[in-house]
Amino acid sequence: MGLKKVSGAIRKYNNYVITSHIDTEGDALGSEMAVFHLVKQLGKEAVIANTDEVPDRYKFLKGWDKMVVGDDKRKLKGHDNIIVVDCPTIERCGAIGPVIERSKVKIVIDHHVSNERYGDFNWVDPDASSCGEMIFNLYREMGLNINEDIAVMLYVAILTDTGSFRYECTSPETHRAAGELIKLGVHPPKVAERIYETKEMGDIELLSRALSTIKLTDDKKISYMHVTKEMLDETGMDAERTDGFVNYARSIQGSEISIFFRQDANDARKVYVGFRSKGMANVNMLASKFGGGGHPKASGCVLVGDLDKVMNQVLTTAEEFL
Ligand SMILES: [Mn+2]
């Protein structure tokens, strides 16, 4: 339903900015880049703009270096309309938020259950594993060509958002899409190596310090861990290097909710909180108690305060929630 509306809108308008959420990761980048090529195949103009730089591990995606960073009015000039992928709220688009606000036509493609439908055209499918899977279907619906480079972009989006096909959102359709993308030229071991096996020693040092903080609540149903600003400073690693750390807490048998706390790299009073659920608990609802959101099994929020106090507050709420 939303697919047809959105594909019609994309065909109708021109001159797009394409964007996604802050802390860009695989689904955001792969989906944006694939949408960029989709729009180009229609003979239209487009530019990708993000709040953050492309993380190193995604710098094998073709064209990553052509993205605009921040609200660069000179580079975004003439691009009056916008396509936003994988982003539930305008606020989550960080520095590109004002670009969305001033765009004439806003097209939103997302799979977050917490999506606020801030576009003129919204296609939100919470059952989709990833935006990558949605964009794959968009290509098929529009009868456009997925070459090898685009196949890699979509595969990266699907692979990373499903936790390598491990999360509950992984469906027969997800595997079918991935299978098609492999047929179109994706080499899975090569992609996996680029994303998961190109770590620096600093990454391992940071992980080792983060792992030493893992604890369980008394009833062992909640596992939690943290990364401080000091750990980031001392290992010289960016905050995005902690992506996926929460899965170590999640992997503990019997833990139903896992929580990852991370101080901001520049401001220790700003604490990012990531929630994961392995059981029945809907952590989208839990995060929304703190003004955040996401998916039923993976969500997040940002809080301000001392790390200890934030951790106590969140853990107390999570225990009550369970
Ligand atoms: Mn996503």
Side-chain angles (χ1 to χ4, degrees):
M1 204 169 69
L3 193 167
K4 287 236 162 66
K5 254 199 310 191
V6 156
S7 66
I10 292 174
R11 279 190 195 279
K12 184 169 173 192
Y13 301 100
N14 197 351
N15 297 312
Y16 294 108
V17 173
I18 300 165
T19 192
S20 188
H21 56 78
I22 54 169
D23 302 327
T24 29
E25 33 63 295
D27 192 25
L29 284 169
S31 297
E32 290 178 326
M33 295 170 92
V35 167
F36 174 84
H37 288 286
L38 181 146
V39 167
K40 284 289 189 183
Q41 277 185 39
L42 297 170
K44 297 173 188 288
E45 283 308 314
V47 60
I48 300 176
N50 284 323
T51 305
D52 302 298
E53 305 263 1
V54 176
D56 287 343
R57 77 180 90 112
Y58 296 113
K59 286 185 177 167
F60 67 101
L61 294 170
K62 210 168 173 190
W64 69 268
D65 51 342
K66 300 204 172 56
M67 293 188 184
V68 173
V69 178
D71 182 2
D72 185 329
K73 295 200 174 59
R74 191 177 56 85
K75 289 182 181 159
L76 301 182
K77 198 167 172 249
H79 294 84
D80 298 332
N81 303 313
I82 197 158
I83 303 173
V84 190
V85 294
D86 201 36
C87 192
T89 64
I90 293 181
E91 198 189 9
R92 272 285 285 168
C93 287
I96 311 301
V99 185
I100 302 178
E101 307 275 10
R102 67 173 184 263
S103 291
K104 285 185 191 147
V105 177
K106 307 171 179 63
I107 299 172
V108 174
I109 302 172
D110 190 20
H111 69 127
H112 289 88
V113 68
S114 57
N115 187 288
E116 289 178 355
R117 273 106 175 145
Y118 49 91
D120 303 298
F121 301 91
N122 302 285
W123 174 28
V124 180
D125 181 3
D127 292 328
S129 66
S130 51
C131 275
E133 188 180 329
M134 296 173 74
I135 307 302
F136 172 82
N137 291 325
L138 188 63
Y139 265 91
R140 287 290 192 250
E141 159 74 20
M142 297 178 83
L144 297 170
N145 174 47
I146 300 177
N147 66 23
E148 190 180 321
D149 292 334
I150 300 169
V152 170
M153 292 162 193
L154 292 171
Y155 185 85
V156 164
I158 296 172
L159 180 76
T160 53
D161 249 30
T162 57
S164 307
F165 306 101
R166 284 178 301 152
Y167 300 155
E168 201 169 85
C169 57
T170 308
S171 70
E173 288 71 36
T174 313
H175 277 288
R176 243 172 253 135
E180 285 298 314
L181 295 170
I182 292 170
K183 269 193 221 158
L184 292 166
V186 173
H187 187 54
K190 204 161 110 190
V191 174
E193 187 189 330
R194 286 305 304 255
I195 293 179
Y196 301 116
E197 291 162 13
T198 50
K199 296 201 194 310
E200 292 173 26
M201 266 315 282
D203 287 302
I204 303 303
E205 235 172 88
L206 181 62
L207 174 62
S208 128
R209 294 187 62 174
L211 288 177
S212 70
T213 72
I214 295 189
K215 288 194 178 71
L216 289 169
T217 49
D218 291 339
D219 61 6
K220 299 188 168 47
K221 288 184 176 164
I222 300 174
S223 54
Y224 58 101
M225 64 195 291
H226 68 266
V227 163
T228 60
K229 178 178 181 304
E230 195 183 5
M231 293 181 199
L232 295 171
D233 289 345
E234 288 176 3
T235 55
M237 291 288 109
D238 295 338
E240 60 95 2
R241 302 292 190 135
T242 64
D243 208 25
F245 280 15
V246 66
N247 291 320
Y248 288 94
R250 188 180 187 268
S251 69
I252 299 170
Q253 190 178 20
S255 109
E256 293 182 22
I257 294 180
S258 309
I259 313 177
F260 178 67
F261 299 90
R262 174 177 65 74
Q263 284 179 328
D264 186 87
N266 302 308
D267 176 4
R269 285 187 57 79
K270 200 166 160 191
V271 182
Y272 294 84
V273 188
F275 299 96
R276 295 292 183 276
S277 164
K278 225 169 36 176
M280 297 299 288
N282 179 335
V283 290
N284 175 56
M285 281 165 67
L286 181 55
S288 72
K289 289 182 187 291
F290 298 101
H295 308 286
K297 303 279 171 185
S299 66
C301 64
V302 185
L303 295 171
V304 175
D306 293 335
L307 181 62
D308 284 348
K309 283 191 185 137
V310 167
M311 285 175 66
N312 274 330
Q313 187 196 356
V314 170
L315 285 167
T316 307
T317 309
E319 282 185 294
E320 284 166 14
F321 186 77
L322 268 184

